[in-house]
Amino acid sequence: MGVEVKSAYSGEVLTRLLIRATTGNELVNRGLIRLEPNVATKFYLPRVKTGKMLQKRKEQPKDEDSKGDFEYDERVLEPKEFMAFTTFNPRSFEGIWRPWQPTGELVFRELPNHVQNELLAELGKVVDFELGWHFINGKYGKTDDELFDGVLTRIVADEEVIRVAPFCGTMKQKLRAVYRRIPKAVRKSSNVRFLMSTEDWDKYDDELTDQSSKGSDTTGTNPKRFKNIPIEDLAAWPEGVIVATVCGRDLKTNLWAGVSMVNDFNAVKIGPLTNAGEKYFFKMLMKADTNTAFGEEVVLYDERDYFGAAPKELNFAAAGGTEAVLVTACCEYSVTGKVAGFSYERTETGLSITAAENTGGARGGKFTLKLKNDTKQAIEITVSQEAKSAEVTQGGDGNEQQGD
């Protein structure tokens, strides 16, 4: 049975670990999201909307003169429960670092409290990194990688979000397109931010540096702003996605997170894995969820799913034929690859791939599609063709003829 954290030592450990576990990610550390603690089951985000209310003065207004119906609805933070659990053998540190060596007789060796503090801090770093990713990209499901819905998952699924169609262009052009779609009232807020990946920020920074004028010193970094709106580049943010919305820690923010800070004695357990064994375990339970208050105050540019092809595998009969491949792309793409017996043509909807009649054995290969402005994104189209039937490919001397 595990030993729960004792009161003489829980405060220090829980301060170092739980704060990291619930606030140790970029969104919270930079003050971009409102963190609502002590949410045991649900936390409601009330939303009130009204229509136009002003009208000409009437001396005796009646009920039918009423304008501006109140529309009330709610969005919910419903934290999902998950845990961190790991085991280790404290004797592993005997030959590594003297201060971490277990004390006492060999059979009754225990893990000193200061050592437990250090190990918990290391555990907190791992939890910190993982939670930072889940707060952005998380998706609730059945696997260990689907703990709760992150803010970007919520934004993508929200039908009220303002969407900018992907296109082939520079980062400056993409930021301009997002900026122009920001509602005027939101644009004037001092807390509006551009959220993007570190990779996309590097591209924008390079564009500014490479300008013939008004660029930064090539040895420096440009200010992280566009049209005076601050840019927040996040390590866990996916490349090819830009979001503009109101951020902050106060109640005016559009990004919210709910977490559950449970009782100290139930938060962390440290102890022997089994009574007869030498291994120890660390275990902590957490709850978290995210959401947005108003989808219509979010502008989304997302080009991740705008480069695809279907089908990606084509199988032709020996007689040959032509098949169509539907290609969706946010910008121009190239096609490379030479496969004996196969040819392709570009069409308005993608590719038309033709297989010539096969007079030999089975054959095949691949064509590769790549975006011209991002060659790291590639799609492979696999083609194959059956061999000619044995009656035809069998020569007069009984030997099979090989195709090209």
Side-chain angles (χ1 to χ4, degrees), residues 172-378:
K172 186 188 299 184
Q173 291 170 332
K174 294 173 183 178
L175 283 167
R176 183 182 293 120
V178 173
Y179 175 81
R180 288 177 175 173
R181 296 295 302 277
I182 300 175
K184 294 179 181 179
V186 175
R187 188 187 298 178
K188 295 183 180 298
S189 170
S190 61
N191 292 326
V192 66
R193 297 288 186 273
F194 287 111
L195 306 178
M196 65 169 61
S197 68
T198 301
E199 294 84 358
D200 285 336
W201 157 247
D202 288 339
K203 295 176 186 176
Y204 179 53
D205 183 44
D206 290 341
E207 290 175 10
L208 296 178
T209 302
D210 293 341
Q211 290 180 144
S212 57
S213 61
K214 296 184 179 180
S216 172
D217 186 330
T218 56
T219 62
T221 303
N222 291 281
K224 293 185 177 181
R225 307 181 73 86
F226 182 82
K227 300 292 187 182
N228 283 331
I229 295 178
I231 294 175
E232 298 287 347
D233 65 299
L234 305 169
W237 198 269
E239 190 174 356
V241 180
I242 302 173
V243 165
T245 192
V246 176
C247 303
R249 291 192 176 101
D250 57 19
L251 298 177
K252 296 180 181 179
T253 183
N254 202 28
L255 304 182
W256 290 71
V259 296
S260 176
M261 302 284 284
V262 295
N263 182 277
D264 287 358
F265 289 97
N266 295 325
V268 181
K269 287 187 177 182
I270 311 168
L273 185 62
T274 63
N275 290 335
E278 298 180 0
K279 280 192 172 183
Y280 272 66
F281 74 87
F282 293 154
K283 178 182 178 181
M284 59 183 298
L285 299 178
M286 294 168 282
K287 285 185 176 182
D289 191 22
T290 68
N291 212 331
T292 58
F294 295 95
E296 60 269 30
E297 295 183 0
V298 179
V299 182
L300 171 66
Y301 176 90
D302 188 354
E303 63 182 35
R304 292 174 299 171
D305 298 329
Y306 286 85
F307 184 45
K312 295 181 181 179
E313 295 184 5
L314 298 175
N315 184 27
F316 294 87
T322 300
E323 296 286 347
V325 176
L326 178 63
V327 179
T328 55
C330 62
C331 57
E332 295 183 16
Y333 62 93
S334 62
V335 183
T336 58
K338 291 184 179 180
V339 185
F342 295 86
S343 61
Y344 68 86
E345 290 183 357
R346 302 288 289 265
T347 66
E348 292 184 358
T349 58
L351 298 176
S352 176
I353 298 180
T354 300
E357 182 180 359
N358 188 7
T359 59
R363 58 189 180 185
K366 294 180 180 179
F367 294 103
T368 302
L369 284 58
K370 289 185 178 181
L371 289 177
K372 287 190 175 181
N373 70 333
D374 187 1
T375 56
K376 292 184 296 184
Q377 294 196 49

Side-chain angles (χ1 to χ4, degrees), residues 115-189:
V115 176
Q116 296 184 37
N117 275 321
E118 295 298 329
L119 291 176
L120 282 170
E122 295 303 313
L123 176 64
K125 291 179 183 178
V126 178
V127 172
D128 177 4
F129 178 79
E130 292 190 41
L131 273 179
W133 186 90
H134 284 286
F135 263 65
I136 295 173
N137 305 288
K139 184 177 181 180
Y140 183 65
K142 296 181 180 180
T143 70
D144 287 343
D145 293 327
E146 300 172 311
L147 304 180
F148 59 92
D149 290 329
V151 291
L152 189 54
T153 301
R154 294 286 197 182
I155 289 172
V156 171
D158 192 342
E159 295 181 356
E160 296 180 351
V161 165
I162 303 169
R163 286 171 163 79
V164 177
F167 61 93
C168 183
T170 64
M171 288 302 302
K172 186 188 299 184
Q173 291 170 332
K174 294 173 183 178
L175 283 167
R176 183 182 293 120
V178 173
Y179 175 81
R180 288 177 175 173
R181 296 295 302 277
I182 300 175
K184 294 179 181 179
V186 175
R187 188 187 298 178
K188 295 183 180 298
S189 170

